[in-house]
Amino acid sequence: MEQNTKRRFYVFLPWVLLLVVLGAAALFGFIYKEGSNPFETKFIKVDLLSTMRIHLLEAIEAEKNAVLAITDEASEAFAAQARQTADDVENSRKEIESIIHQEKFPRETEMINEFNSCWAQYRKLDETILDLAIQNTNLKAQKISATQCAQELERFEASLNRLIHRNTNGNQCNKDVMLSYEALTAGLKIFALHKTHIEEADDQEMDKIEQSIKSYDESARKALESLRGLANLSDSDNEDLKNTETAYERFMNLTGEVLKLSRMNTNIKSADLSLGKLRLISSQCQEILTNLQGTVQAQGDYSLPRLKKRGIE
């Protein structure tokens, strides 16, 4: 009887062991199905966070290049690069946020929510800066002043100099010469104020500069009007005076365009925001990502020192 029992036991033992193995395998597969293996998930999160940090640095660099670029083409290219790398950060953010919310580790959830708030501020301010940077109004104002305005002022000055030369007798200067010098001096002072206005960031200071330009403009026009009223002008004088007035009108129209572009101040505003508020926000975002990555790496870290503490060699 006992012999038969042992024989039956040995017959069924392989089947029992097989069922145990299959059951364990099924349970292991249920617990560690694809995507739920904690070690695999940890690796995915660390990789996502590393990618986010890299793309964030690239976005910051591209944004600064867009602000510092001296042509519209370069600004637009860097702005597009900044937006693309920021989108890459956003894609990884969504992915890791989904994983963290599924795992429901309180500290990681708290930190990803903190990053989300910081990241929202970054993206909003970054877009504002990029929109300003690609307009390049200060650079455009500077270019108009240095090229078109300078050319018209040269014509203005050349015509007045001819008029002055013809009406100067030795060391004696008649009224024609005095008025010509008044108009020329006023025009040159207006031109000198272009640079001051373009570089000025404060609206009230720009108001003062524009008031000075208006005052000099009135002086120049008054002098030119007085010249036109003189009876002793020769035909050559009248021709030069006509050219002077034409050049001055063009110069002042261009000056108005310079002031309008300078008023928008997009280069100065974008630079101030980039070097100020955005720098602080981006640093905060980077710090949160670094801390979150450290938290993820510490989660479930069964290193040798820990195992030794448990008496396992």
Side-chain angles (χ1 to χ4, degrees):
M1 181 71 176
E2 184 177 348
Q3 191 69 24
N4 291 336
T5 301
K6 288 183 178 180
R7 187 179 295 113
R8 288 179 181 178
F9 174 77
Y10 287 120
V11 169
F12 287 106
L13 180 60
W15 296 101
V16 172
L17 292 174
L18 178 61
L19 289 173
V20 171
V21 171
L22 291 175
L27 180 61
F28 186 83
F30 174 76
I31 295 175
Y32 297 114
K33 60 185 177 180
E34 184 178 359
S36 65
N37 185 325
F39 298 103
E40 179 185 352
T41 304
K42 174 182 173 179
F43 175 80
I44 292 173
K45 289 192 294 183
V46 170
D47 183 61
L48 284 170
L49 287 167
S50 296
T51 301
M52 289 173 69
R53 292 173 65 187
I54 292 171
H55 286 318
L56 178 55
L57 287 173
E58 292 174 344
I60 293 169
E61 182 180 1
E63 173 269 325
K64 293 192 183 306
N65 286 336
V67 170
L68 296 174
I70 60 175
T71 65
D72 287 348
E73 293 77 11
S75 292
E76 290 169 4
F78 283 123
Q81 182 182 346
R83 291 185 174 108
Q84 179 58 58
T85 49
D87 287 342
D88 292 337
V89 175
E90 175 64 12
N91 292 335
S92 297
R93 185 200 66 80
K94 289 179 180 178
E95 190 173 349
I96 195 170
E97 181 183 44
S98 176
I99 296 173
I100 289 175
H101 284 173
Q102 287 176 12
E103 291 185 318
K104 298 180 180 179
F105 291 128
R107 181 55 181 158
E108 290 184 12
T109 301
E110 178 186 348
M111 295 182 76
I112 193 63
N113 289 338
E114 185 181 357
F115 176 77
N116 289 344
S117 176
C118 184
W119 179 239
Q121 294 180 60
Y122 175 91
R123 293 221 72 177
K124 182 178 180 181
L125 185 57
D126 183 53
E127 192 59 35
T128 298
I129 291 172
L130 293 176
D131 285 341
L132 289 171
I134 61 177
Q135 293 181 55
N136 277 325
T137 58
N138 294 81
L139 292 177
K140 289 175 181 175
Q142 187 178 21
K143 184 176 181 180
I144 292 172
S145 176
T147 55
Q148 295 171 264
C149 285
Q151 290 171 1
E152 295 303 332
L153 193 63
E154 284 180 6
R155 296 187 181 100
F156 174 73
E157 184 178 9
S159 297
L160 281 176
N161 280 337
R162 286 193 296 269
L163 198 153
I164 291 170
H165 180 73
R166 276 195 302 270
N167 290 276
T168 301
N169 298 317
N171 294 326
Q172 298 296 318
C173 295
N174 58 24
K175 193 171 184 180
D176 305 38
V177 174
M178 298 299 295
L179 291 172
S180 297
Y181 273 125
E182 286 180 18
L184 180 57
T185 300
L188 291 172
K189 287 184 176 180
I190 291 172
F191 183 64
L193 287 174
H194 284 187
K195 183 176 183 294
T196 307
H197 194 283
I198 292 169
E199 294 176 352
E200 181 57 59
D202 185 75
D203 287 340
Q204 292 184 346
E205 289 300 318
M206 283 191 282
D207 288 341
K208 294 178 182 178
I209 296 169
E210 290 175 19
Q211 188 58 45
S212 296
I213 289 175
K214 182 180 178 182
S215 177
Y216 290 133
D217 178 46
E218 290 173 353
S219 296
R221 293 183 185 279
K222 183 178 179 180
L224 292 175
E225 185 179 354
S226 297
L227 274 172
R228 177 60 63 187
L230 294 177
N232 62 333
L233 293 179
S234 65
D235 291 340
S236 297
D237 289 342
N238 280 316
E239 183 65 25
D240 281 328
L241 183 55
K242 180 180 178 181
N243 292 334
T244 297
E245 291 170 335
T246 300
Y248 185 75
E249 285 300 325
R250 290 174 181 168
F251 170 73
M252 287 309 298
N253 287 336
L254 289 167
T255 293
E257 190 173 347
V258 168
L259 298 181
K260 180 181 178 181
L261 289 169
S262 176
R263 268 283 179 182
M264 296 172 70
N265 248 345
T266 60
N267 292 94
I268 292 178
K269 288 177 180 177
S270 62
D272 286 345
L273 289 172
S274 177
L275 298 174
K277 191 173 181 180
L278 188 69
R279 183 178 63 83
L280 296 176
I281 294 174
S282 62
S283 296
Q284 184 181 0
C285 287
Q286 289 174 297
E287 182 179 358
I288 296 170
L289 286 179
T290 301
N291 293 337
L292 178 54
Q293 187 170 358
T295 300
V296 170
Q297 289 174 328
Q299 197 72 252
D301 186 6
Y302 298 106
S303 60
L304 184 59
R306 290 190 178 188
L307 293 175
K308 285 184 177 180
K309 287 180 181 179
R310 296 179 183 180
I312 302 174
E313 299 295 337

